[in-house]
Amino acid sequence: TWTTVGEGTQVRVLAGSAGKLKETRKDFDEPHEALAYATQQEWARLKKGQVLAQPEAAPGQPSMLRYLGRGYTGAMPVADLDGQLLCSWHDASDRLLVLNAQGQLIHQGEAPTNTLIWQATPHPPTQQVLLLADHAVWTCDPQLQAMQPLTQPNAQPASFLSVAGDQVAWYAQGQVEVHTLVPGGVGTRRLQLPVQPTLYSGHSMQMSGALSAQGLLALCTQPGQIRFIDVASGSEQAAWTGPFEMALKLRFTPDGRWLLIQEGHGKWALLALDVQARSPRADLPTLNELGQGDFALSPSGTQLAVSRREQISVYDMATLQLRLQFAADHVVKRCALAWLGEHTLG
């Protein structure tokens, strides 16, 4: 491992094994020269297999960096698994990895052949991880072994997976379903609703959904409209029609008050809908042109992180004041986000 410390025009590097760190210093005429040197040294060390470990990193600075290498697929599942980072790596097949705060590999599991994992959602109460893999839902244990399908792959390229409380929702074989979660899989089916996704502009299927902890299901199956279904009764509530094109991702805040909508096409914007009033949040900052960016809510719902290319912005969800903004290192095309507790982003 190593640690890089930049202080104006000087760069200090501590490198070596635990208990045997060696410090080197290098001075420059200008701060930008020091930064360029530190960046070049970081990338060279990462590609050699070294791990950057800075447990006392300042806000916005990396506390751990590890280069996994191999191919980039665009499928970037990231999640918090017992305080450790769950992510993926692609070689001949897709693999899920769990890394600790020091960058050490704790668990790994291989996906089925010719399958990309797009979303991984741990559910600690039932000791399983739910996976969305090529428009089918799978489950595996927290050690990333014993992957088992819960649904068959959809004929159309349309799917979603959402977990809240003791329930899971998905789209499979023309039906939106909600099931209870039990150890190692699913139990009682609580909702089944026939749904037909819409083909947007002749090229993309519109299908996204989110389940709230209060038992409300939000669905977007056609551009510009969000449907709401009460899971317990199966009754459909008033829909909301708004100024957005496709919805790439929907997420409720933990209290169920707000529904966050990441738009695809159009303005590529992030919207926040007041669920009870069925009106967009007026004080939300203008967050357009997210492209293939991402957003994530902290576990308490008090913080919202948004990625726009390599730029990461963190907002207070109550006031929507900007708390922190920084650039993520080594972004290729997009940056996926997940909170590991209340104070760390992966």
Side-chain angles (χ1 to χ4, degrees):
T1 62
W2 92 95
T3 297
T4 301
V5 179
E7 297 174 337
T9 58
Q10 185 183 82
V11 176
R12 293 190 297 119
V13 177
L14 289 83
S17 57
K20 298 181 179 179
L21 294 177
K22 180 182 178 181
E23 179 177 318
T24 60
R25 297 170 182 251
K26 193 171 180 66
D27 294 300
F28 296 87
D29 294 331
E30 298 292 339
H32 69 86
E33 295 175 335
L35 177 61
Y37 171 78
T39 302
Q40 183 272 331
Q41 286 291 303
E42 178 179 280
W43 188 229
R45 290 174 183 272
L46 286 171
K47 293 181 76 171
K48 289 178 181 178
Q50 295 187 31
V51 176
L52 175 68
Q54 298 186 129
E56 303 302 322
Q61 296 298 312
S63 60
M64 185 275 284
L65 277 176
R66 176 173 174 173
Y67 177 65
L68 299 176
R70 300 296 180 179
Y72 171 83
T73 66
M76 300 173 66
V78 288
D80 178 356
L81 183 59
D82 295 329
Q84 299 172 327
L85 179 65
L86 172 61
C87 58
S88 69
W89 174 68
H90 188 83
D91 190 3
S93 62
D94 231 21
R95 297 182 186 181
L96 288 175
L97 309 175
V98 176
L99 305 175
N100 65 14
Q102 292 74 46
Q104 297 170 320
L105 179 62
I106 306 301
H107 302 299
Q108 66 175 313
E110 190 168 344
T113 304
N114 298 323
T115 300
L116 292 179
I117 299 172
W118 294 89
Q119 180 183 337
T121 304
H123 191 253
T126 56
Q127 287 295 295
Q128 64 182 315
V129 180
L130 283 301
L131 309 172
L132 184 61
D134 285 348
H135 306 298
V137 178
W138 293 67
T139 183
C140 66
D141 59 42
Q143 289 73 45
L144 310 180
Q145 305 301 309
M147 292 189 185
Q148 299 293 329
L150 297 177
T151 71
Q152 295 301 309
N154 292 326
Q156 296 176 310
S159 58
F160 78 88
L161 171 67
S162 181
V163 175
D166 66 345
Q167 299 185 113
V168 58
W170 62 56
Y171 173 72
Q173 310 305 317
Q175 307 279 339
V176 168
E177 298 182 355
V178 178
H179 294 257
T180 57
L181 287 164
V182 299
V186 296
T188 305
R189 186 174 64 202
R190 293 186 171 175
L191 179 72
Q192 186 176 47
L193 182 69
V195 170
Q196 179 60 45
T198 302
L199 184 64
Y200 175 81
S201 292
H203 56 71
S204 300
M205 301 300 297
Q206 174 56 65
M207 171 55 67
S208 57
L211 190 61
S212 78
Q214 295 72 32
L216 188 64
L217 178 66
L219 289 176
C220 183
T221 60
Q222 62 184 46
Q225 184 186 73
I226 305 291
R227 300 168 61 187
F228 294 93
I229 298 95
D230 178 72
V231 173
S233 65
S235 61
E236 187 152 356
Q237 301 180 358
W240 177 69
T241 300
F244 67 95
E245 299 294 328
M246 292 185 69
L248 298 178
K249 179 177 175 179
L250 304 176
R251 290 291 185 274
F252 282 99
T253 52
D255 61 7
R257 179 181 178 185
W258 303 102
L259 177 68
L260 295 172
I261 305 164
Q262 183 178 354
E263 181 186 29
H265 302 285
K267 295 179 180 179
W268 297 89
L270 182 65
L271 307 173
L273 177 70
D274 185 320
V275 175
Q276 185 173 1
R278 296 291 197 274
S279 61
R281 185 165 178 173
D283 59 346
L284 186 73
T286 300
L287 295 171
N288 295 341
E289 301 302 328
L290 295 186
Q292 296 298 314
D294 197 13
F295 73 88
L297 285 162
S298 64
S300 66
T302 58
Q303 299 183 93
L304 169 66
V306 181
S307 69
R308 183 193 283 113
R309 291 175 285 277
E310 73 279 356
Q311 180 178 286
I312 312 298
S313 304
V314 180
Y315 298 89
D316 182 287
M317 198 57 194
T319 64
L320 290 178
Q321 294 298 305
L322 182 66
R323 284 185 169 180
L324 181 66
Q325 194 167 70
F326 60 95
D329 293 334
H330 312 299
V331 174
V332 178
K333 292 185 178 179
R334 60 184 295 258
C335 181
L337 298 174
W339 287 89
L340 282 65
E342 289 291 330
H343 305 293
T344 303
L345 274 170

